Amino acid sequence: MPNSSILSPATIPRDLAAGLVVTFVAVPLCLGVALASNAPLFAGLVGGVVGGVLVGALSRSHTVISGPAAGLTAVVAAQIAALGSFEAFLLAVILAGAIQIALGIAQAGFIAAFFPSSVVRGLLGAIGVLLILKQIPHLLGRDTDPEGEMSFFQADRENTFSELGELFYDVHPAAAAIGLTSIALLVLWERFKPLKASVIPAPLVVVLVGVAMSLAFQELGGRWMIEASHRVQVPVAESLAGFLGLLHRPDFSQWSNPAVYFAAVTIAMVASLETLLSVEAVDKIDPQQRTTPPSRELLAQGVGNVTLGLLGGIPVTPVIARSTVNINAGARTKLSTIFHGVFLFASVAMLPRWINAIPLSCLAAILLVTGFQLIPPALVKQMWRQGRYQFVPFAVTIVAIVFTDILVGVLVGLAVSISFILNSNLRAPIRRVVEKHLGGDVLRIELSNQVSFMKRAALAAALDVVPQGGHVLLDARNTDYIDPDVLDMIREYKNQTAPARNVDVSLLGFRNKYQLEDHIQYVDYSTRELQSMLSPAQVLEILKEGHRRFRSGDRLNRDLARQVDATASGQHPFAVVLSCIDSRAPVELIFDVGVGDIFSARVAGNIVSRKVLGSIEYACAVAGAKLVLVMGHTRCGAVTTAVKLAGSPDPPAVTTGCQNVEPILLDIQQSIRLDQRRGFDDWTKNKQDAFVNDVARENVRRMVERIVQESETLASLVREGKIAVVGAMYDVVNGDIEFLHEVAINV
């Protein structure tokens, strides 16, 4: 199957059909926007043609439909009134397009990356709500307001909700019948798989059925007549001269009028903002999730608006409603956009009477169903589950757009979203962790990747709570940018505030350009002084605390290179750990210790031999370690092998094929009670594992006792309270540690 993003003969039929469907919807919308903007009706159609053909050709979006947009109606109407003529306004449109071209060349589309997703989704949802609310009157035949008017206050002095109230007195039976039938057709088409999979889009069938029903109702006469006010009303030119006469030309004599330039900047900024927002929104509903280059879109829109100023059209932007209809109609590539522009031109130039036969109610049905697709209940639930920081801006954007207009509503949504972002920066812009180092507690403040001026207040608050005599570490290792104001505050705190409060300040990871050198003032490795100050009970607590950090994931941040340098001239570990060689039981990680903190002796089955015992004696009697920890672990391979071979008549060396492993297995087997092992080979896997773990635990207890029994040196140190010997079992499944009995530990 060909890639549907690539222009090919396989995609043309669906693009043709989608373009035709969008044309039917675009005609009344172009006219309605022009009417609401107090511009000539034909200017709206010109905008639709140029937005389809020219902008569609230049754009790199495969789904976006550009044309006159409801979001620009207030701006267009205000600038036409301010300039005094539509011709002067056209000059402002040319200049606005030139500004957009410049923005596109300058790659200003990067701004789109900063639009909060909650606001973009709120924009989509609001368009959906507006389509539903605004199209219900047209669905039932109330067509007094301009089709396509999306503002809360309408040109006919009604508003979105009062218009719904008028339906009690103004329902047209024939239009309502066509509208409701169209809804039923669209729903049926979506649910019946053979129809949904067909090349013919449902909206096209709806238009044809609507026209047929309209002609049938004409025969009934009376109230069932579908009058011109309930159908599309394209201006009809009787001749080529009359057609050309509908076009307006810009008034170039207004070059010296400052108001023209003000209008141009206003139009360019509003149109560009709406362009970036709309493109971002439409990309989210593209089934293939293709991405539109925003700067290229600004360039395409700019060229289109320059052309529209020359031809007498109103400015265009991407339109979410028409783009959604385009996607739902099965568009595959941007050919559908170009086809829609060509069809729109043909309908206006050659087939206006045919287009004028289409009932507005069937078009309203298409837009109303599109509205429901833009704001499904699943979207609301998704935003709710994401929490208030996402849901509130989403909901506010919807409400603001419904009660004002698209532009104002989006700006309100952006303001709310930004306020949440600012609040988030004030509440939790940095990560604070109290680390229990060997030299004492240190408050580590981890700076974020971008430390802007907005985070200055939060950082100041974090530093302000450091207690008298405390220690704070400012960690900038993950930071790419720090605002100069924040740097000044850090320097002032380090040089003035901290000394006055007797607070030690350590710095780590600041770039050279900030002129803040790394300076660590706390001790994060074992020194002679610390070693001599610690008791066996305190060392055991240090290991337990380290294991808690390991389990929680809050391991201490260490400068290992600094520790290597600091311990190069000598070592003063506070503990010695005898553990198994199993790769799943790395002692330094399990107890979260650094370079120079512990002696680590590893042997299969964590058994005691003369060589191991001599190593432990050196660690305690010579190097000054205060604690001996024997750590076994669950699912130990050496213990498992020893248990399996315990009932074998052959020696382990013969069975395993390893000559030097026999002493280890024979030693471990002394921890096995053979009477409890009977039938081991017939046990379930869980029962076997439990027995192996019990043997491993007993093996640890036995090794703890042997250390004291077989070494008078260590026994003497235990009696004097200088060291303690402790057993532990590490669980390789969940990372827990069970501490077993302790030998003569002085608390």
Side-chain angles (χ1 to χ4, degrees):
M1 183 176 177
N3 187 335
S4 58
S5 295
I6 300 174
L7 303 181
S8 70
T11 64
I12 290 177
R14 288 191 176 273
D15 288 335
L16 272 169
L20 186 58
V21 169
V22 177
T23 301
F24 296 144
V25 173
V27 169
L29 293 179
C30 290
L31 295 172
V33 171
L35 182 60
S37 302
N38 295 326
L41 293 182
F42 201 71
L45 297 173
V46 173
V49 172
V50 173
V53 178
L54 182 58
V55 177
L58 294 175
S59 172
R60 289 184 181 169
S61 172
H62 289 279
T63 53
V64 167
I65 299 288
S66 295
L72 289 178
T73 54
V75 174
V76 172
Q79 298 308 319
I80 291 175
L83 295 174
S85 71
F86 184 66
E87 289 72 19
F89 171 77
L90 291 177
L91 179 59
V93 173
I94 295 174
L95 296 174
I99 294 172
Q100 287 186 290
I101 293 173
L103 291 173
I105 294 174
Q107 298 294 304
F110 75 90
I111 298 171
F114 295 94
F115 292 146
S117 62
S118 57
V119 174
V120 175
R121 294 186 185 279
L123 172 60
L124 282 171
I127 296 296
V129 172
L130 279 176
L131 287 176
I132 295 168
L133 296 176
K134 292 291 188 178
Q135 298 307 316
I136 288 176
H138 297 293
L139 182 79
L140 301 179
R142 178 171 170 78
D143 299 308
T144 56
D145 64 307
E147 179 75 13
E149 168 61 50
M150 300 288 274
S151 298
F152 182 73
F153 294 105
Q154 300 173 172
D156 59 355
R157 298 188 178 181
E158 297 287 349
N159 62 53
T160 301
F161 297 107
S162 68
E163 188 75 22
L164 293 173
E166 293 294 327
L167 283 175
F168 289 105
Y169 314 102
D170 190 15
V171 173
H172 192 284
I178 293 172
L180 295 175
T181 302
S182 299
I183 292 284
L185 268 174
L186 290 168
V187 173
L188 174 66
W189 209 277
E190 183 66 23
R191 294 187 177 181
F192 191 49
K193 289 185 178 179
L195 293 176
K196 186 177 181 181
S198 67
V199 178
I200 303 173
L204 179 57
V205 176
V206 164
V207 171
L208 295 176
V209 170
V211 171
M213 291 181 66
S214 175
L215 294 175
F217 285 138
Q218 297 297 95
E219 300 297 326
L220 296 178
R223 293 188 61 201
W224 292 92
M225 290 280 291
I226 301 293
E227 300 171 355
S229 61
H230 299 296
R231 300 194 302 268
V232 176
Q233 299 180 55
V234 176
V236 179
E238 300 298 335
S239 64
L240 178 60
F243 179 81
L244 295 176
L246 294 173
L247 298 174
H248 292 257
R249 296 288 182 271
D251 183 0
F252 289 104
S253 66
Q254 295 291 319
W255 280 111
S256 59
N257 184 357
V260 169
Y261 296 93
F262 176 80
V265 172
T266 303
I267 295 168
M269 293 300 103
V270 174
S272 298
L273 176 62
E274 188 161 342
T275 293
L276 296 177
L277 280 165
S278 299
V279 165
E280 185 85 4
V282 174
D283 281 349
K284 287 186 180 298
I285 58 176
D286 178 8
Q288 298 184 45
Q289 291 297 291
R290 293 165 289 192
T291 301
T292 301
S295 295
R296 176 58 179 250
E297 191 64 30
L298 286 176
L299 178 64
Q301 298 292 329
V303 173
N305 283 328
V306 168
T307 305
L308 283 168
L310 294 170
L311 295 180
I314 56 177
V316 298
T317 67
V319 186
I320 294 175
R322 271 166 265 182
S323 301
T324 307
V325 171
N326 183 45
I327 292 171
N328 293 340
R332 293 294 184 266
T333 72
K334 67 178 183 179
L335 271 182
S336 64
T337 304
I338 299 172
F339 284 147
H340 129 268
V342 173
F343 291 148
L344 190 57
F345 175 77
S347 67
V348 173
M350 294 176 284
L351 306 171
R353 289 184 174 85
W354 290 17
I355 296 297
N356 288 345
I358 300 174
L360 292 175
S361 58
C362 70
L363 299 180
I366 295 171
L367 291 171
L368 189 142
V369 170
T370 299
F372 278 106
Q373 291 170 336
L374 284 173
I375 186 163
L379 174 62
V380 180
K381 291 179 181 178
Q382 176 190 351
M383 299 305 295
W384 175 262
R385 286 196 296 266
Q386 291 180 4
R388 59 174 181 164
Y389 278 73
Q390 289 292 314
F391 182 78
V392 173
F394 166 77
V396 168
T397 300
I398 292 177
V399 173
I401 290 176
V402 169
F403 281 94
T404 56
D405 57 41
I406 294 176
L407 178 62
V408 173
V410 165
L411 292 177
V412 171
L414 284 173
V416 172
S417 184
I418 290 172
S419 69
F420 271 76
I421 293 171
L422 291 173
N423 182 61
S424 176
N425 276 281
L426 290 174
R427 291 170 61 88
I430 50 180
R431 183 169 181 261
R432 295 187 299 174
V433 180
V434 176
E435 298 184 338
K436 294 184 177 298
H437 287 276
L438 295 175
D441 290 354
V442 176
L443 173 63
R444 183 170 67 88
I445 297 179
E446 183 179 314
L447 302 181
S448 59
N449 183 264
Q450 301 290 322
V451 186
S452 66
F453 71 94
M454 293 187 296
K455 299 182 178 181
R456 186 181 188 278
L459 180 57
L463 293 173
D464 195 51
V465 298
V466 179
Q468 291 274 348
H471 198 135
V472 63
L473 166 64
L474 293 175
D475 185 351
R477 286 176 295 178
N478 297 321
T479 301
D480 288 333
Y481 169 78
I482 303 178
D483 186 84
D485 282 349
V486 177
L487 287 171
D488 287 343
M489 185 196 70
I490 292 174
R491 293 190 188 98
E492 181 180 347
Y493 182 84
K494 179 178 181 295
N495 298 328
Q496 300 177 28
T497 307
R501 298 179 180 178
N502 195 28
V503 171
D504 291 326
V505 179
S506 293
L507 304 177
L508 182 61
F510 286 86
R511 295 189 173 190
N512 293 334
K513 65 179 181 180
Y514 297 142
Q515 298 180 353
L516 289 169
E517 296 181 356
D518 286 3
H519 182 54
I520 304 298
Q521 299 195 68
Y522 58 87
V523 177
D524 61 348
Y525 58 91
S526 183
T527 63
R528 181 184 298 277
E529 293 76 13
L530 283 172
Q531 184 194 58
S532 63
M533 292 169 56
L534 293 172
S535 68
Q538 290 172 325
V539 171
L540 180 61
E541 187 56 38
I542 288 173
L543 294 181
K544 289 181 177 180
E545 179 64 29
H547 176 253
R548 283 192 286 268
R549 292 194 301 270
F550 167 74
R551 293 284 286 117
S552 66
D554 293 326
R555 300 180 65 235
L556 293 182
N557 282 268
R558 291 184 171 84
D559 187 342
L560 295 180
R562 172 174 171 268
Q563 291 185 349
V564 168
D565 291 339
T567 57
S569 59
Q571 60 172 336
H572 307 283
F574 49 75
V576 54
V577 180
L578 170 60
S579 64
C580 182
I581 64 170
D582 194 290
S583 62
R584 298 166 295 176
V587 172
E588 286 82 0
L589 295 180
I590 291 173
F591 293 111
D592 188 25
V593 292
V595 176
D597 287 344
I598 64 169
F599 288 105
S600 180
R602 302 189 68 172
V603 60
N606 44 270
I607 63 168
V608 174
S609 65
R610 292 186 62 81
K611 294 178 181 179
V612 170
L613 204 56
S615 298
I616 297 175
E617 288 178 345
Y618 172 83
C620 296
V622 179
K626 299 296 184 67
L627 180 74
V628 178
L629 177 67
V630 180
M631 189 182 80
H633 65 91
T634 61
R635 301 189 179 185
C636 178
V639 174
T640 301
T641 302
V643 170
K644 288 181 177 180
L645 298 180
S648 173
D650 298 322
V654 174
T655 307
T656 63
C658 302
Q659 296 298 320
N660 295 307
V661 79
E662 183 171 311
I664 295 175
L665 298 178
L666 291 176
D667 200 334
I668 295 173
Q669 286 178 346
Q670 296 180 43
S671 300
I672 304 172
R673 291 185 57 180
L674 294 179
D675 60 326
Q676 294 179 351
R677 185 202 172 280
R678 291 192 185 97
F680 177 84
D681 295 336
D682 298 325
W683 292 353
T684 63
K685 180 66 167 57
N686 289 340
K687 187 176 180 181
Q688 288 179 344
D689 288 345
F691 184 78
V692 167
N693 293 343
D694 287 341
V695 172
R697 186 177 289 101
E698 177 59 30
N699 185 58
V700 168
R701 291 193 180 98
R702 199 166 55 84
M703 294 305 129
V704 168
E705 293 173 357
R706 281 182 58 185
I707 287 173
V708 179
Q709 292 171 357
E710 298 181 9
S711 172
E712 179 56 33
T713 300
L714 296 175
S716 175
L717 291 173
V718 169
R719 288 192 295 270
E720 295 172 8
K722 293 181 178 180
I723 70 168
V725 184
V726 179
M729 274 292 291
Y730 174 70
D731 194 326
V732 298
V733 176
N734 56 30
D736 284 343
I737 283 186
E738 174 192 1
F739 286 92
L740 308 178
H741 65 283
E742 303 165 1
V743 176
I745 184 169
N746 292 335
V747 180

